[in-house]
Amino acid sequence: MIPKFHDARDVFFERRFGLFVHWGLYAVPAWHEQILWRGKMKRKEYEQLIHQFNPTEFDPDAWLDLVEEAGMQYVCFTTKHHDGFCMWDTAQTEYNIMNTPYGKDILGMLAEACHRRNIPLSLYYSCPDWHHPNYPNQGRHHEMFGPRSGDEPDIEKYYGFVKKQLEELLTKYGTIYQLFWDVNVAEYYDPSINDWIRTLQPGILINDRGPGKGDYNTPERHVPEGGSFSKPTEACQSLGRESWGFRTDEDYYSHKFLMQSVDKILAMGGNYLLNVGPKPDGTIAEENVQALRKIGSWYNLVKEAFEGTTPASDMGGNDEIVMAGSQRKVERDHVLLTRKGNTIYIHLYRDIQSASVVLKPLDVMPRKAVLLNNGQELPFSVDLLPWYWKEKPYLRIRNLPVNELSDTVMVIKLEFDEEVCE
């Protein structure tokens, strides 16, 4: 019997922050994981990288140490990217990790470590395949520019291959937390595939990029507008601005930019998957290690503002004023709010202008205001300010260390009496 359509909200928000890992043959040229599509390398040349890929320094426990240090709660690993190379011991194609000089099942090693350490494992699987002869490469986005001599394009045969691979992935590596389909370029729809997946892995979460309806949305690289999401959402972003796989000359995002991105997505009620691209030897580049540690040190201080909370930005903090006459919109203290019972958290995900925040239209005093970043108690008042001289007094949180903590995202905890928040 096919299980009922999974409601992601049953378990989706139990884990808010995860590590995405893009790793494969593309780590060797170290330019971009889509070097075949975006660069000038030919498929015959690229496929010879199988003879060079030898990650002798791969240590899944070292990865998971970093996951825990960053405050992350699950891992999503690229089993097969668009290039078609498989990072597990698959019987469906010889184009896999067992035929490299390394010759060990990378996914099996990672899965064993994840299960031993009780860290949920998610699997990424690409819909397009630039290597398989049955995938209809037609030059659409994220596809090769046409079939090769000897290819036999047939989307039904190709998805027969896909199902055989998924059966391996979902029966040989223990409990799988999520399946992350990617880019259904061919627009092949068969909802029975996701239903079948759930018979192999009851309770698995499935995203919205595959051949059937998914449990959650997956915005990539950008932070959507608004104060909350209308359905379960897992945003994904990479530490590097140019590539998801390892790149030798990468332009890395600033630590603060990434903290601001994480904070906004989580405060809006979404989850966040932050990506790293390991080096060809299996280690994680020092720049990435330092970034994850820095983000983790912040996240572990403020995570109570995300875990078990709900978006509450409609209660205040969006201070936008239209000036009379010129109709010029002036934005001052734009923040997001989350709530847990009678506690409100203020997320300063944008650089603030001064050492105070006005929570218009709130006009009630809390019992206590604490800056989670350092435990500092903050003074507060309900004041009639010159800027709002035609309006009324609003709650103002004062003496924020804006200059001392300029390299992070501040989160303030407000504790109210019960009747205030009801």
Side-chain angles (χ1 to χ4, degrees):
M1 180 177 179
I2 298 297
K4 294 175 64 177
F5 180 70
H6 189 81
D7 186 349
R9 281 163 285 211
D10 292 343
V11 296
F12 187 73
F13 298 110
E14 292 177 4
R15 300 175 181 91
R16 305 295 308 279
F17 190 27
L19 179 71
F20 211 172
V21 180
H22 275 66
W23 197 34
L25 296 183
Y26 42 82
V28 177
W31 188 77
H32 192 280
E33 73 280 358
Q34 298 171 25
I35 190 171
L36 281 174
W37 189 52
R38 298 173 186 250
K40 296 181 179 180
M41 184 175 279
K42 303 298 183 183
R43 273 184 278 188
K44 285 196 298 185
E45 178 186 357
Y46 181 87
E47 288 163 355
Q48 294 306 304
L49 296 175
I50 192 171
H51 303 300
Q52 299 180 41
F53 193 58
N54 190 20
T56 55
E57 300 302 312
F58 171 56
D59 178 0
D61 281 299
W63 288 14
L64 299 184
D65 288 345
L66 192 56
V67 165
E68 292 181 340
E69 192 172 351
M72 293 167 161
Q73 300 151 313
Y74 61 102
V75 176
C76 183
F77 181 72
T78 48
T79 62
K80 185 197 77 165
H81 208 264
H82 312 330
D83 61 354
F85 181 75
C86 301
M87 295 289 283
W88 80 97
D89 184 5
T90 176
Q92 309 310 317
T93 174
E94 294 184 355
Y95 198 45
N96 71 70
I97 188 66
M98 304 306 291
N99 294 314
T100 67
Y102 189 65
K104 300 176 187 176
D105 188 339
I106 291 284
L107 177 60
M109 297 167 69
L110 178 60
E112 187 280 328
C114 283
H115 298 319
R116 172 166 40 83
R117 298 177 61 160
N118 198 30
I119 296 175
L121 176 64
S122 303
L123 304 181
Y124 166 108
Y125 189 92
S126 170
C127 294
D129 189 315
W130 299 340
H131 176 82
H132 197 277
N134 293 142
Y135 183 80
N137 283 291
Q138 298 177 8
R140 296 165 290 198
H141 71 90
H142 296 89
E143 282 186 348
M144 288 293 92
F145 307 103
R148 288 191 282 190
S149 176
D151 283 355
E152 298 177 357
D154 186 322
I155 195 67
E156 294 292 341
K157 284 186 178 180
Y158 173 68
Y159 269 90
F161 162 80
V162 167
K163 288 189 67 175
K164 289 177 182 178
Q165 288 211 307
L166 289 175
E167 185 170 10
E168 293 177 345
L169 291 171
L170 299 175
T171 61
K172 294 184 177 182
Y173 296 98
T175 300
I176 303 302
Y177 179 50
Q178 298 166 306
L179 178 65
F180 191 114
W181 292 104
D182 201 13
V183 286
N184 185 4
V185 180
E187 298 184 352
Y188 179 82
Y189 295 105
D190 181 356
S192 71
I193 294 178
N194 281 352
D195 291 337
W196 167 75
I197 286 169
R198 292 189 174 99
T199 67
L200 301 178
Q201 287 278 342
I204 192 172
L205 292 162
I206 304 174
N207 77 343
D208 62 344
R209 301 187 184 188
K213 185 178 180 181
D215 298 322
Y216 58 97
N217 291 339
T218 52
E220 179 176 318
R221 288 283 193 190
H222 70 283
V223 178
E225 295 300 321
S228 63
F229 295 108
S230 60
K231 71 171 291 186
T233 297
E234 178 188 69
C236 53
Q237 173 64 284
S238 187
L239 291 172
R241 190 168 70 169
E242 293 296 331
S243 178
W244 295 74
F246 175 66
R247 176 175 165 81
T248 51
D249 187 26
E250 183 58 283
D251 297 324
Y252 289 108
Y253 288 113
S254 72
H255 300 163
K256 185 175 181 180
F257 172 85
L258 291 168
M259 291 179 206
Q260 290 174 323
S261 176
V262 171
D263 188 78
K264 182 174 185 186
I265 291 291
L266 295 180
M268 290 173 63
N271 295 348
Y272 205 97
L273 198 53
L274 183 58
N275 177 76
V276 64
K279 296 165 67 175
D281 66 1
T283 62
I284 295 176
E286 186 60 27
E287 298 94 331
N288 294 330
V289 170
Q290 294 303 318
L292 290 175
R293 285 177 175 163
K294 181 71 172 179
I295 294 165
S297 65
W298 163 78
Y299 182 83
N300 285 315
L301 290 170
V302 304
K303 64 183 179 181
E304 72 169 85
F306 307 123
E307 297 177 358
T309 64
T310 56
S313 297
D314 56 345
M315 296 184 67
N318 188 352
D319 184 2
E320 297 180 337
I321 300 172
V322 177
M323 302 296 287
S326 67
Q327 298 297 302
R328 183 169 60 91
K329 185 166 73 172
V330 177
E331 188 175 275
R332 299 180 89 206
D333 301 332
H334 192 112
V335 303
L336 291 172
L337 306 180
T338 55
R339 172 181 176 178
K340 184 189 301 179
N342 301 302
T343 300
I344 301 296
Y345 299 94
I346 309 171
H347 298 262
L348 307 181
Y349 75 99
R350 294 184 182 178
D351 291 343
I352 59 173
Q353 299 174 1
S354 72
S356 68
V357 170
V358 178
L359 287 186
K360 175 185 177 182
L362 284 179
D363 59 0
V364 179
M365 297 270 280
R367 289 198 309 267
K368 191 176 183 181
V370 176
L371 183 62
L372 292 181
N373 304 69
N374 60 10
Q376 174 185 348
E377 288 199 31
L378 300 170
F380 47 83
S381 55
V382 174
D383 298 331
L384 179 62
L385 299 171
W387 186 269
Y388 303 107
W389 64 282
K390 289 187 177 180
E391 298 181 37
K392 65 174 187 176
Y394 296 120
L395 175 61
R396 182 163 67 110
I397 313 300
R398 311 197 314 272
N399 293 3
L400 289 166
V402 289
N403 296 316
E404 295 80 2
L405 296 183
S406 60
D407 64 343
T408 190
V409 174
M410 289 185 280
V411 181
I412 305 165
K413 178 180 181 179
L414 302 181
E415 298 178 16
F416 286 90
D417 292 327
E418 183 175 351
E419 59 268 21
V420 172
C421 295
E422 290 297 324

